[in-house]
Amino acid sequence: MRTSTALEAFARRPLSFLRSVWPWRSLAYLLASVVVGVAVAAAAVTVSLVGPAPLTAVAGLVAVAALTPLVARFEWWRLRLVDLAPPARKSGLSRREAVLGVVCLLALWWIDLVVAGFAVAGPVVLILSPVLQPLEGDGDLAAAVAVSGAGLLLLPVAAYVLTAWAGARGAVTRALIAPDELAEVLRSRARLLESFEAERRRIERDLHDGAQQRLVALSMRLGLARLDLPPDSPVAQELAEAHEEAQRALAELRELIRGVHPQVLTDRGLAAAVRDVAGRSPVPVEVDVRLPRLPGAVETTAYYVVAEALANVARHSRATRARVHGRLTGEVLVVEIRDDGVGGADPARGTGMAGLADRVAAVGGRLALSSPAGGPTTMSVEIPCAW
């Protein structure tokens, strides 16, 4: 996968990260604050020549007002060092950009230089210690070589420090320059979720009204045909097997329809739907869910979290019991699923946790998982309810 920001590079494997250009890009991003520092120093010298204190204060405010749009534009320009796809700059100076420019003028530029200085100067001084200090004997030489080796070991640490600060600075800058991007992403995720649920309901309706009715009719005709044949005839035996097969197919289709979108969720709400899915679990499940009817998106999201969690309990946990607890706390739905299994659940192993977390985030909620080795496993979900 292509890495487009310093923060994404920060999460890569260590060797891959250290071999990349991102530490160098991050260092260049931080060192670019020298430009802002020079502008601040020049403005400070100019203001100091004005004369009396009141005039100096006014001149300082004028200097800040004059430099703010330039610094904001400079921040947008250098963002491409830590973000390969920076947002398009709009004309004019927004309030957020002005705040960014003022904060950079007052604090961020020298913080950037301090971070870069300590991260780079520390290891470099240690590495050059055999050259920088006089050596009077073999003992001093050995100590200097050891210190130099420690400096070499600190270089990867410096790369992570530089990239972490530069990546965070870049993310904050992007959020201030283009605040509408995140809101649009969240709205897009919500629209995708709504369209997905609409398509799921359409599939459920088509299966229920189409294929299921045909199988019911076929099963009835096979049952009636069995009544017209002698029970001990070969054709009656074949017909009986076909009838049983049709019944099994109908039962499987009903389970599939229930999995696509349970009708009980639509008719009776989340509490009844949770009791229904818990009743079909091979692991005994205690259900303590006391909830009023909630918005459709909230109930649907919470239901599929519970269903997936109980499916994982049955498949992976080796648990003997599970418990589902659900309450409405203020305007937030809180659902907790707990089991006494062996624990060790890892979203990276493809147990569906990552997809559930994305689904919960799409409705503004959050999902937390605690599953130490040896158990127990607890999954908790908090979803705000917009009435």
mmCIF file with all atom_site columns, all heavy atoms in Angstrom, residues 281 303-317 322 324 336-339 351 353 356 377 379 381:
data_model
loop_
_atom_site.group_PDB
_atom_site.id
_atom_site.type_symbol
_atom_site.label_atom_id
_atom_site.label_alt_id
_atom_site.label_comp_id
_atom_site.label_asym_id
_atom_site.label_entity_id
_atom_site.label_seq_id
_atom_site.pdbx_PDB_ins_code
_atom_site.Cartn_x
_atom_site.Cartn_y
_atom_site.Cartn_z
_atom_site.occupancy
_atom_site.B_iso_or_equiv
_atom_site.pdbx_formal_charge
_atom_site.auth_seq_id
_atom_site.auth_comp_id
_atom_site.auth_asym_id
_atom_site.auth_atom_id
_atom_site.pdbx_PDB_model_num
ATOM 1   N N   . SER A 1 281 ? -27.416 -19.222 19.882 1.00 0.00 ? 281 SER A N   1
ATOM 2   C CA  . SER A 1 281 ? -25.988 -19.446 20.077 1.00 0.00 ? 281 SER A CA  1
ATOM 3   C C   . SER A 1 281 ? -25.738 -20.804 20.729 1.00 0.00 ? 281 SER A C   1
ATOM 4   O O   . SER A 1 281 ? -26.451 -21.191 21.667 1.00 0.00 ? 281 SER A O   1
ATOM 5   C CB  . SER A 1 281 ? -25.403 -18.337 20.961 1.00 0.00 ? 281 SER A CB  1
ATOM 6   O OG  . SER A 1 281 ? -24.066 -18.615 21.291 1.00 0.00 ? 281 SER A OG  1
ATOM 7   N N   . TYR A 1 303 ? -26.849 -4.452  16.751 1.00 0.00 ? 303 TYR A N   1
ATOM 8   C CA  . TYR A 1 303 ? -27.234 -5.851  16.551 1.00 0.00 ? 303 TYR A CA  1
ATOM 9   C C   . TYR A 1 303 ? -26.117 -6.641  15.882 1.00 0.00 ? 303 TYR A C   1
ATOM 10  O O   . TYR A 1 303 ? -25.773 -7.746  16.317 1.00 0.00 ? 303 TYR A O   1
ATOM 11  C CB  . TYR A 1 303 ? -28.510 -5.942  15.711 1.00 0.00 ? 303 TYR A CB  1
ATOM 12  C CG  . TYR A 1 303 ? -28.819 -7.355  15.291 1.00 0.00 ? 303 TYR A CG  1
ATOM 13  C CD1 . TYR A 1 303 ? -29.448 -8.244  16.163 1.00 0.00 ? 303 TYR A CD1 1
ATOM 14  C CD2 . TYR A 1 303 ? -28.453 -7.820  14.027 1.00 0.00 ? 303 TYR A CD2 1
ATOM 15  C CE1 . TYR A 1 303 ? -29.701 -9.552  15.781 1.00 0.00 ? 303 TYR A CE1 1
ATOM 16  C CE2 . TYR A 1 303 ? -28.700 -9.135  13.647 1.00 0.00 ? 303 TYR A CE2 1
ATOM 17  C CZ  . TYR A 1 303 ? -29.330 -9.983  14.531 1.00 0.00 ? 303 TYR A CZ  1
ATOM 18  O OH  . TYR A 1 303 ? -29.573 -11.282 14.158 1.00 0.00 ? 303 TYR A OH  1
ATOM 19  N N   . TYR A 1 304 ? -25.542 -6.091  14.821 1.00 0.00 ? 304 TYR A N   1
ATOM 20  C CA  . TYR A 1 304 ? -24.508 -6.838  14.107 1.00 0.00 ? 304 TYR A CA  1
ATOM 21  C C   . TYR A 1 304 ? -23.227 -6.944  14.912 1.00 0.00 ? 304 TYR A C   1
ATOM 22  O O   . TYR A 1 304 ? -22.468 -7.910  14.765 1.00 0.00 ? 304 TYR A O   1
ATOM 23  C CB  . TYR A 1 304 ? -24.253 -6.218  12.734 1.00 0.00 ? 304 TYR A CB  1
ATOM 24  C CG  . TYR A 1 304 ? -25.357 -6.565  11.761 1.00 0.00 ? 304 TYR A CG  1
ATOM 25  C CD1 . TYR A 1 304 ? -26.250 -5.604  11.322 1.00 0.00 ? 304 TYR A CD1 1
ATOM 26  C CD2 . TYR A 1 304 ? -25.531 -7.871  11.333 1.00 0.00 ? 304 TYR A CD2 1
ATOM 27  C CE1 . TYR A 1 304 ? -27.290 -5.927  10.459 1.00 0.00 ? 304 TYR A CE1 1
ATOM 28  C CE2 . TYR A 1 304 ? -26.563 -8.202  10.469 1.00 0.00 ? 304 TYR A CE2 1
ATOM 29  C CZ  . TYR A 1 304 ? -27.429 -7.237  10.036 1.00 0.00 ? 304 TYR A CZ  1
ATOM 30  O OH  . TYR A 1 304 ? -28.463 -7.564  9.192  1.00 0.00 ? 304 TYR A OH  1
ATOM 31  N N   . VAL A 1 305 ? -22.971 -5.992  15.793 1.00 0.00 ? 305 VAL A N   1
ATOM 32  C CA  . VAL A 1 305 ? -21.842 -6.131  16.710 1.00 0.00 ? 305 VAL A CA  1
ATOM 33  C C   . VAL A 1 305 ? -22.070 -7.321  17.642 1.00 0.00 ? 305 VAL A C   1
ATOM 34  O O   . VAL A 1 305 ? -21.183 -8.160  17.846 1.00 0.00 ? 305 VAL A O   1
ATOM 35  C CB  . VAL A 1 305 ? -21.635 -4.833  17.516 1.00 0.00 ? 305 VAL A CB  1
ATOM 36  C CG1 . VAL A 1 305 ? -20.657 -5.063  18.658 1.00 0.00 ? 305 VAL A CG1 1
ATOM 37  C CG2 . VAL A 1 305 ? -21.122 -3.726  16.615 1.00 0.00 ? 305 VAL A CG2 1
ATOM 38  N N   . VAL A 1 306 ? -23.258 -7.394  18.223 1.00 0.00 ? 306 VAL A N   1
ATOM 39  C CA  . VAL A 1 306 ? -23.572 -8.499  19.123 1.00 0.00 ? 306 VAL A CA  1
ATOM 40  C C   . VAL A 1 306 ? -23.538 -9.831  18.378 1.00 0.00 ? 306 VAL A C   1
ATOM 41  O O   . VAL A 1 306 ? -22.970 -10.816 18.863 1.00 0.00 ? 306 VAL A O   1
ATOM 42  C CB  . VAL A 1 306 ? -24.944 -8.281  19.790 1.00 0.00 ? 306 VAL A CB  1
ATOM 43  C CG1 . VAL A 1 306 ? -25.356 -9.502  20.596 1.00 0.00 ? 306 VAL A CG1 1
ATOM 44  C CG2 . VAL A 1 306 ? -24.921 -7.045  20.678 1.00 0.00 ? 306 VAL A CG2 1
ATOM 45  N N   . ALA A 1 307 ? -24.133 -9.870  17.185 1.00 0.00 ? 307 ALA A N   1
ATOM 46  C CA  . ALA A 1 307 ? -24.174 -11.116 16.421 1.00 0.00 ? 307 ALA A CA  1
ATOM 47  C C   . ALA A 1 307 ? -22.765 -11.591 16.070 1.00 0.00 ? 307 ALA A C   1
ATOM 48  O O   . ALA A 1 307 ? -22.441 -12.776 16.211 1.00 0.00 ? 307 ALA A O   1
ATOM 49  C CB  . ALA A 1 307 ? -25.009 -10.919 15.151 1.00 0.00 ? 307 ALA A CB  1
ATOM 50  N N   . GLU A 1 308 ? -21.907 -10.675 15.624 1.00 0.00 ? 308 GLU A N   1
ATOM 51  C CA  . GLU A 1 308 ? -20.536 -11.054 15.273 1.00 0.00 ? 308 GLU A CA  1
ATOM 52  C C   . GLU A 1 308 ? -19.756 -11.473 16.509 1.00 0.00 ? 308 GLU A C   1
ATOM 53  O O   . GLU A 1 308 ? -18.976 -12.429 16.474 1.00 0.00 ? 308 GLU A O   1
ATOM 54  C CB  . GLU A 1 308 ? -19.841 -9.881  14.576 1.00 0.00 ? 308 GLU A CB  1
ATOM 55  C CG  . GLU A 1 308 ? -18.412 -10.159 14.163 1.00 0.00 ? 308 GLU A CG  1
ATOM 56  C CD  . GLU A 1 308 ? -18.295 -11.180 13.043 1.00 0.00 ? 308 GLU A CD  1
ATOM 57  O OE1 . GLU A 1 308 ? -19.282 -11.372 12.308 1.00 0.00 ? 308 GLU A OE1 1
ATOM 58  O OE2 . GLU A 1 308 ? -17.210 -11.786 12.922 1.00 0.00 ? 308 GLU A OE2 1
ATOM 59  N N   . ALA A 1 309 ? -19.951 -10.758 17.613 1.00 0.00 ? 309 ALA A N   1
ATOM 60  C CA  . ALA A 1 309 ? -19.246 -11.104 18.848 1.00 0.00 ? 309 ALA A CA  1
ATOM 61  C C   . ALA A 1 309 ? -19.645 -12.492 19.339 1.00 0.00 ? 309 ALA A C   1
ATOM 62  O O   . ALA A 1 309 ? -18.785 -13.298 19.730 1.00 0.00 ? 309 ALA A O   1
ATOM 63  C CB  . ALA A 1 309 ? -19.523 -10.056 19.922 1.00 0.00 ? 309 ALA A CB  1
ATOM 64  N N   . LEU A 1 310 ? -20.934 -12.803 19.326 1.00 0.00 ? 310 LEU A N   1
ATOM 65  C CA  . LEU A 1 310 ? -21.375 -14.134 19.769 1.00 0.00 ? 310 LEU A CA  1
ATOM 66  C C   . LEU A 1 310 ? -20.921 -15.223 18.806 1.00 0.00 ? 310 LEU A C   1
ATOM 67  O O   . LEU A 1 310 ? -20.614 -16.341 19.226 1.00 0.00 ? 310 LEU A O   1
ATOM 68  C CB  . LEU A 1 310 ? -22.893 -14.142 19.923 1.00 0.00 ? 310 LEU A CB  1
ATOM 69  C CG  . LEU A 1 310 ? -23.458 -13.263 21.053 1.00 0.00 ? 310 LEU A CG  1
ATOM 70  C CD1 . LEU A 1 310 ? -24.978 -13.398 21.130 1.00 0.00 ? 310 LEU A CD1 1
ATOM 71  C CD2 . LEU A 1 310 ? -22.828 -13.625 22.388 1.00 0.00 ? 310 LEU A CD2 1
ATOM 72  N N   . ALA A 1 311 ? -20.862 -14.894 17.508 1.00 0.00 ? 311 ALA A N   1
ATOM 73  C CA  . ALA A 1 311 ? -20.333 -15.877 16.555 1.00 0.00 ? 311 ALA A CA  1
ATOM 74  C C   . ALA A 1 311 ? -18.862 -16.165 16.841 1.00 0.00 ? 311 ALA A C   1
ATOM 75  O O   . ALA A 1 311 ? -18.415 -17.319 16.778 1.00 0.00 ? 311 ALA A O   1
ATOM 76  C CB  . ALA A 1 311 ? -20.515 -15.359 15.128 1.00 0.00 ? 311 ALA A CB  1
ATOM 77  N N   . ASN A 1 312 ? -18.090 -15.129 17.175 1.00 0.00 ? 312 ASN A N   1
ATOM 78  C CA  . ASN A 1 312 ? -16.688 -15.337 17.523 1.00 0.00 ? 312 ASN A CA  1
ATOM 79  C C   . ASN A 1 312 ? -16.539 -16.119 18.824 1.00 0.00 ? 312 ASN A C   1
ATOM 80  O O   . ASN A 1 312 ? -15.612 -16.922 18.966 1.00 0.00 ? 312 ASN A O   1
ATOM 81  C CB  . ASN A 1 312 ? -15.977 -13.985 17.650 1.00 0.00 ? 312 ASN A CB  1
ATOM 82  C CG  . ASN A 1 312 ? -15.742 -13.331 16.305 1.00 0.00 ? 312 ASN A CG  1
ATOM 83  O OD1 . ASN A 1 312 ? -15.653 -14.017 15.284 1.00 0.00 ? 312 ASN A OD1 1
ATOM 84  N ND2 . ASN A 1 312 ? -15.660 -12.017 16.300 1.00 0.00 ? 312 ASN A ND2 1
ATOM 85  N N   . VAL A 1 313 ? -17.438 -15.874 19.769 1.00 0.00 ? 313 VAL A N   1
ATOM 86  C CA  . VAL A 1 313 ? -17.418 -16.644 21.016 1.00 0.00 ? 313 VAL A CA  1
ATOM 87  C C   . VAL A 1 313 ? -17.607 -18.122 20.720 1.00 0.00 ? 313 VAL A C   1
ATOM 88  O O   . VAL A 1 313 ? -16.886 -18.985 21.244 1.00 0.00 ? 313 VAL A O   1
ATOM 89  C CB  . VAL A 1 313 ? -18.503 -16.131 21.985 1.00 0.00 ? 313 VAL A CB  1
ATOM 90  C CG1 . VAL A 1 313 ? -18.676 -17.091 23.156 1.00 0.00 ? 313 VAL A CG1 1
ATOM 91  C CG2 . VAL A 1 313 ? -18.153 -14.737 22.489 1.00 0.00 ? 313 VAL A CG2 1
ATOM 92  N N   . ALA A 1 314 ? -18.563 -18.435 19.857 1.00 0.00 ? 314 ALA A N   1
ATOM 93  C CA  . ALA A 1 314 ? -18.836 -19.836 19.530 1.00 0.00 ? 314 ALA A CA  1
ATOM 94  C C   . ALA A 1 314 ? -17.700 -20.481 18.739 1.00 0.00 ? 314 ALA A C   1
ATOM 95  O O   . ALA A 1 314 ? -17.384 -21.664 18.940 1.00 0.00 ? 314 ALA A O   1
ATOM 96  C CB  . ALA A 1 314 ? -20.142 -19.932 18.747 1.00 0.00 ? 314 ALA A CB  1
ATOM 97  N N   . ARG A 1 315 ? -17.051 -19.710 17.846 1.00 0.00 ? 315 ARG A N   1
ATOM 98  C CA  . ARG A 1 315 ? -16.037 -20.293 16.968 1.00 0.00 ? 315 ARG A CA  1
ATOM 99  C C   . ARG A 1 315 ? -14.646 -20.356 17.591 1.00 0.00 ? 315 ARG A C   1
ATOM 100 O O   . ARG A 1 315 ? -13.911 -21.318 17.349 1.00 0.00 ? 315 ARG A O   1
ATOM 101 C CB  . ARG A 1 315 ? -15.967 -19.493 15.663 1.00 0.00 ? 315 ARG A CB  1
ATOM 102 C CG  . ARG A 1 315 ? -17.144 -19.686 14.740 1.00 0.00 ? 315 ARG A CG  1
ATOM 103 C CD  . ARG A 1 315 ? -16.825 -19.176 13.351 1.00 0.00 ? 315 ARG A CD  1
ATOM 104 N NE  . ARG A 1 315 ? -16.580 -17.737 13.347 1.00 0.00 ? 315 ARG A NE  1
ATOM 105 C CZ  . ARG A 1 315 ? -17.476 -16.832 12.986 1.00 0.00 ? 315 ARG A CZ  1
ATOM 106 N NH1 . ARG A 1 315 ? -18.688 -17.225 12.616 1.00 0.00 ? 315 ARG A NH1 1
ATOM 107 N NH2 . ARG A 1 315 ? -17.193 -15.542 13.000 1.00 0.00 ? 315 ARG A NH2 1
ATOM 108 N N   . HIS A 1 316 ? -14.280 -19.329 18.372 1.00 0.00 ? 316 HIS A N   1
ATOM 109 C CA  . HIS A 1 316 ? -12.870 -19.203 18.745 1.00 0.00 ? 316 HIS A CA  1
ATOM 110 C C   . HIS A 1 316 ? -12.582 -19.229 20.241 1.00 0.00 ? 316 HIS A C   1
ATOM 111 O O   . HIS A 1 316 ? -11.455 -19.534 20.634 1.00 0.00 ? 316 HIS A O   1
ATOM 112 C CB  . HIS A 1 316 ? -12.319 -17.873 18.195 1.00 0.00 ? 316 HIS A CB  1
ATOM 113 C CG  . HIS A 1 316 ? -12.557 -17.674 16.734 1.00 0.00 ? 316 HIS A CG  1
ATOM 114 N ND1 . HIS A 1 316 ? -11.975 -18.468 15.764 1.00 0.00 ? 316 HIS A ND1 1
ATOM 115 C CD2 . HIS A 1 316 ? -13.309 -16.760 16.068 1.00 0.00 ? 316 HIS A CD2 1
ATOM 116 C CE1 . HIS A 1 316 ? -12.360 -18.050 14.568 1.00 0.00 ? 316 HIS A CE1 1
ATOM 117 N NE2 . HIS A 1 316 ? -13.171 -17.020 14.726 1.00 0.00 ? 316 HIS A NE2 1
ATOM 118 N N   . SER A 1 317 ? -13.547 -18.883 21.090 1.00 0.00 ? 317 SER A N   1
ATOM 119 C CA  . SER A 1 317 ? -13.194 -18.575 22.477 1.00 0.00 ? 317 SER A CA  1
ATOM 120 C C   . SER A 1 317 ? -13.095 -19.796 23.391 1.00 0.00 ? 317 SER A C   1
ATOM 121 O O   . SER A 1 317 ? -12.466 -19.719 24.439 1.00 0.00 ? 317 SER A O   1
ATOM 122 C CB  . SER A 1 317 ? -14.233 -17.619 23.065 1.00 0.00 ? 317 SER A CB  1
ATOM 123 O OG  . SER A 1 317 ? -15.464 -18.286 23.267 1.00 0.00 ? 317 SER A OG  1
ATOM 124 N N   . ALA A 1 322 ? -21.500 -16.811 28.176 1.00 0.00 ? 322 ALA A N   1
ATOM 125 C CA  . ALA A 1 322 ? -21.313 -15.438 27.685 1.00 0.00 ? 322 ALA A CA  1
ATOM 126 C C   . ALA A 1 322 ? -22.434 -14.577 28.250 1.00 0.00 ? 322 ALA A C   1
ATOM 127 O O   . ALA A 1 322 ? -23.472 -15.088 28.699 1.00 0.00 ? 322 ALA A O   1
ATOM 128 C CB  . ALA A 1 322 ? -21.312 -15.389 26.166 1.00 0.00 ? 322 ALA A CB  1
ATOM 129 N N   . VAL A 1 324 ? -24.480 -10.638 27.615 1.00 0.00 ? 324 VAL A N   1
ATOM 130 C CA  . VAL A 1 324 ? -24.703 -9.409  26.854 1.00 0.00 ? 324 VAL A CA  1
ATOM 131 C C   . VAL A 1 324 ? -25.459 -8.444  27.747 1.00 0.00 ? 324 VAL A C   1
ATOM 132 O O   . VAL A 1 324 ? -26.532 -8.774  28.257 1.00 0.00 ? 324 VAL A O   1
ATOM 133 C CB  . VAL A 1 324 ? -25.492 -9.669  25.560 1.00 0.00 ? 324 VAL A CB  1
ATOM 134 C CG1 . VAL A 1 324 ? -25.688 -8.363  24.802 1.00 0.00 ? 324 VAL A CG1 1
ATOM 135 C CG2 . VAL A 1 324 ? -24.783 -10.686 24.690 1.00 0.00 ? 324 VAL A CG2 1
ATOM 136 N N   . GLU A 1 336 ? -22.228 -4.274  26.118 1.00 0.00 ? 336 GLU A N   1
ATOM 137 C CA  . GLU A 1 336 ? -21.025 -5.019  26.501 1.00 0.00 ? 336 GLU A CA  1
ATOM 138 C C   . GLU A 1 336 ? -21.275 -6.500  26.303 1.00 0.00 ? 336 GLU A C   1
ATOM 139 O O   . GLU A 1 336 ? -22.301 -7.033  26.737 1.00 0.00 ? 336 GLU A O   1
ATOM 140 C CB  . GLU A 1 336 ? -20.665 -4.732  27.958 1.00 0.00 ? 336 GLU A CB  1
ATOM 141 C CG  . GLU A 1 336 ? -19.394 -5.422  28.423 1.00 0.00 ? 336 GLU A CG  1
ATOM 142 C CD  . GLU A 1 336 ? -19.067 -5.106  29.868 1.00 0.00 ? 336 GLU A CD  1
ATOM 143 O OE1 . GLU A 1 336 ? -18.414 -4.073  30.115 1.00 0.00 ? 336 GLU A OE1 1
ATOM 144 O OE2 . GLU A 1 336 ? -19.478 -5.904  30.741 1.00 0.00 ? 336 GLU A OE2 1
ATOM 145 N N   . ILE A 1 337 ? -20.334 -7.167  25.620 1.00 0.00 ? 337 ILE A N   1
ATOM 146 C CA  . ILE A 1 337 ? -20.396 -8.615  25.408 1.00 0.00 ? 337 ILE A CA  1
ATOM 147 C C   . ILE A 1 337 ? -19.183 -9.225  26.087 1.00 0.00 ? 337 ILE A C   1
ATOM 148 O O   . ILE A 1 337 ? -18.043 -8.849  25.780 1.00 0.00 ? 337 ILE A O   1
ATOM 149 C CB  . ILE A 1 337 ? -20.398 -8.968  23.904 1.00 0.00 ? 337 ILE A CB  1
ATOM 150 C CG1 . ILE A 1 337 ? -21.523 -8.226  23.180 1.00 0.00 ? 337 ILE A CG1 1
ATOM 151 C CG2 . ILE A 1 337 ? -20.564 -10.461 23.732 1.00 0.00 ? 337 ILE A CG2 1
ATOM 152 C CD1 . ILE A 1 337 ? -21.100 -6.957  22.489 1.00 0.00 ? 337 ILE A CD1 1
ATOM 153 N N   . ARG A 1 338 ? -19.413 -10.161 26.979 1.00 0.00 ? 338 ARG A N   1
ATOM 154 C CA  . ARG A 1 338 ? -18.329 -10.735 27.786 1.00 0.00 ? 338 ARG A CA  1
ATOM 155 C C   . ARG A 1 338 ? -18.437 -12.259 27.759 1.00 0.00 ? 338 ARG A C   1
ATOM 156 O O   . ARG A 1 338 ? -19.547 -12.807 27.807 1.00 0.00 ? 338 ARG A O   1
ATOM 157 C CB  . ARG A 1 338 ? -18.416 -10.215 29.222 1.00 0.00 ? 338 ARG A CB  1
ATOM 158 C CG  . ARG A 1 338 ? -17.293 -10.680 30.156 1.00 0.00 ? 338 ARG A CG  1
ATOM 159 C CD  . ARG A 1 338 ? -17.529 -10.128 31.551 1.00 0.00 ? 338 ARG A CD  1
ATOM 160 N NE  . ARG A 1 338 ? -16.507 -10.551 32.489 1.00 0.00 ? 338 ARG A NE  1
ATOM 161 C CZ  . ARG A 1 338 ? -15.399 -9.873  32.752 1.00 0.00 ? 338 ARG A CZ  1
ATOM 162 N NH1 . ARG A 1 338 ? -15.185 -8.712  32.135 1.00 0.00 ? 338 ARG A NH1 1
ATOM 163 N NH2 . ARG A 1 338 ? -14.516 -10.316 33.622 1.00 0.00 ? 338 ARG A NH2 1
ATOM 164 N N   . ASP A 1 339 ? -17.289 -12.937 27.679 1.00 0.00 ? 339 ASP A N   1
ATOM 165 C CA  . ASP A 1 339 ? -17.284 -14.400 27.746 1.00 0.00 ? 339 ASP A CA  1
ATOM 166 C C   . ASP A 1 339 ? -16.148 -14.864 28.647 1.00 0.00 ? 339 ASP A C   1
ATOM 167 O O   . ASP A 1 339 ? -15.223 -14.098 28.946 1.00 0.00 ? 339 ASP A O   1
ATOM 168 C CB  . ASP A 1 339 ? -17.144 -15.014 26.346 1.00 0.00 ? 339 ASP A CB  1
ATOM 169 C CG  . ASP A 1 339 ? -15.789 -14.767 25.723 1.00 0.00 ? 339 ASP A CG  1
ATOM 170 O OD1 . ASP A 1 339 ? -14.803 -15.368 26.173 1.00 0.00 ? 339 ASP A OD1 1
ATOM 171 O OD2 . ASP A 1 339 ? -15.704 -13.969 24.764 1.00 0.00 ? 339 ASP A OD2 1
ATOM 172 N N   . THR A 1 351 ? -10.898 -11.707 12.528 1.00 0.00 ? 351 THR A N   1
ATOM 173 C CA  . THR A 1 351 ? -12.099 -12.174 13.214 1.00 0.00 ? 351 THR A CA  1
ATOM 174 C C   . THR A 1 351 ? -13.277 -11.228 13.037 1.00 0.00 ? 351 THR A C   1
ATOM 175 O O   . THR A 1 351 ? -14.290 -11.366 13.692 1.00 0.00 ? 351 THR A O   1
ATOM 176 C CB  . THR A 1 351 ? -11.810 -12.345 14.717 1.00 0.00 ? 351 THR A CB  1
ATOM 177 O OG1 . THR A 1 351 ? -11.293 -11.108 15.221 1.00 0.00 ? 351 THR A OG1 1
ATOM 178 C CG2 . THR A 1 351 ? -10.783 -13.447 14.949 1.00 0.00 ? 351 THR A CG2 1
ATOM 179 N N   . MET A 1 353 ? -13.337 -8.037  13.711 1.00 0.00 ? 353 MET A N   1
ATOM 180 C CA  . MET A 1 353 ? -13.337 -6.907  14.642 1.00 0.00 ? 353 MET A CA  1
ATOM 181 C C   . MET A 1 353 ? -13.083 -5.584  13.915 1.00 0.00 ? 353 MET A C   1
ATOM 182 O O   . MET A 1 353 ? -13.696 -4.563  14.239 1.00 0.00 ? 353 MET A O   1
ATOM 183 C CB  . MET A 1 353 ? -12.257 -7.108  15.717 1.00 0.00 ? 353 MET A CB  1
ATOM 184 C CG  . MET A 1 353 ? -12.412 -8.378  16.516 1.00 0.00 ? 353 MET A CG  1
ATOM 185 S SD  . MET A 1 353 ? -13.877 -8.354  17.559 1.00 0.00 ? 353 MET A SD  1
ATOM 186 C CE  . MET A 1 353 ? -13.686 -9.929  18.401 1.00 0.00 ? 353 MET A CE  1
ATOM 187 N N   . LEU A 1 356 ? -16.165 -4.419  12.263 1.00 0.00 ? 356 LEU A N   1
ATOM 188 C CA  . LEU A 1 356 ? -17.125 -3.923  13.245 1.00 0.00 ? 356 LEU A CA  1
ATOM 189 C C   . LEU A 1 356 ? -16.729 -2.536  13.739 1.00 0.00 ? 356 LEU A C   1
ATOM 190 O O   . LEU A 1 356 ? -17.588 -1.662  13.908 1.00 0.00 ? 356 LEU A O   1
ATOM 191 C CB  . LEU A 1 356 ? -17.203 -4.889  14.433 1.00 0.00 ? 356 LEU A CB  1
ATOM 192 C CG  . LEU A 1 356 ? -17.891 -6.225  14.182 1.00 0.00 ? 356 LEU A CG  1
ATOM 193 C CD1 . LEU A 1 356 ? -17.879 -7.049  15.454 1.00 0.00 ? 356 LEU A CD1 1
ATOM 194 C CD2 . LEU A 1 356 ? -19.317 -6.041  13.690 1.00 0.00 ? 356 LEU A CD2 1
ATOM 195 N N   . THR A 1 377 ? -12.720 -12.258 27.711 1.00 0.00 ? 377 THR A N   1
ATOM 196 C CA  . THR A 1 377 ? -12.802 -11.304 26.613 1.00 0.00 ? 377 THR A CA  1
ATOM 197 C C   . THR A 1 377 ? -14.022 -10.411 26.813 1.00 0.00 ? 377 THR A C   1
ATOM 198 O O   . THR A 1 377 ? -15.121 -10.907 27.072 1.00 0.00 ? 377 THR A O   1
ATOM 199 C CB  . THR A 1 377 ? -12.904 -12.022 25.262 1.00 0.00 ? 377 THR A CB  1
ATOM 200 O OG1 . THR A 1 377 ? -11.700 -12.761 25.035 1.00 0.00 ? 377 THR A OG1 1
ATOM 201 C CG2 . THR A 1 377 ? -13.090 -11.024 24.126 1.00 0.00 ? 377 THR A CG2 1
ATOM 202 N N   . MET A 1 379 ? -15.973 -7.070  24.979 1.00 0.00 ? 379 MET A N   1
ATOM 203 C CA  . MET A 1 379 ? -16.120 -6.089  23.910 1.00 0.00 ? 379 MET A CA  1
ATOM 204 C C   . MET A 1 379 ? -17.202 -5.107  24.332 1.00 0.00 ? 379 MET A C   1
ATOM 205 O O   . MET A 1 379 ? -18.298 -5.510  24.701 1.00 0.00 ? 379 MET A O   1
ATOM 206 C CB  . MET A 1 379 ? -16.512 -6.759  22.588 1.00 0.00 ? 379 MET A CB  1
ATOM 207 C CG  . MET A 1 379 ? -16.709 -5.770  21.439 1.00 0.00 ? 379 MET A CG  1
ATOM 208 S SD  . MET A 1 379 ? -17.406 -6.537  19.955 1.00 0.00 ? 379 MET A SD  1
ATOM 209 C CE  . MET A 1 379 ? -16.080 -7.632  19.509 1.00 0.00 ? 379 MET A CE  1
ATOM 210 N N   . VAL A 1 381 ? -19.230 -1.392  23.304 1.00 0.00 ? 381 VAL A N   1
ATOM 211 C CA  . VAL A 1 381 ? -19.581 -0.496  22.211 1.00 0.00 ? 381 VAL A CA  1
ATOM 212 C C   . VAL A 1 381 ? -20.364 0.663   22.782 1.00 0.00 ? 381 VAL A C   1
ATOM 213 O O   . VAL A 1 381 ? -21.273 0.471   23.596 1.00 0.00 ? 381 VAL A O   1
ATOM 214 C CB  . VAL A 1 381 ? -20.418 -1.228  21.140 1.00 0.00 ? 381 VAL A CB  1
ATOM 215 C CG1 . VAL A 1 381 ? -20.764 -0.273  20.012 1.00 0.00 ? 381 VAL A CG1 1
ATOM 216 C CG2 . VAL A 1 381 ? -19.681 -2.425  20.604 1.00 0.00 ? 381 VAL A CG2 1
#
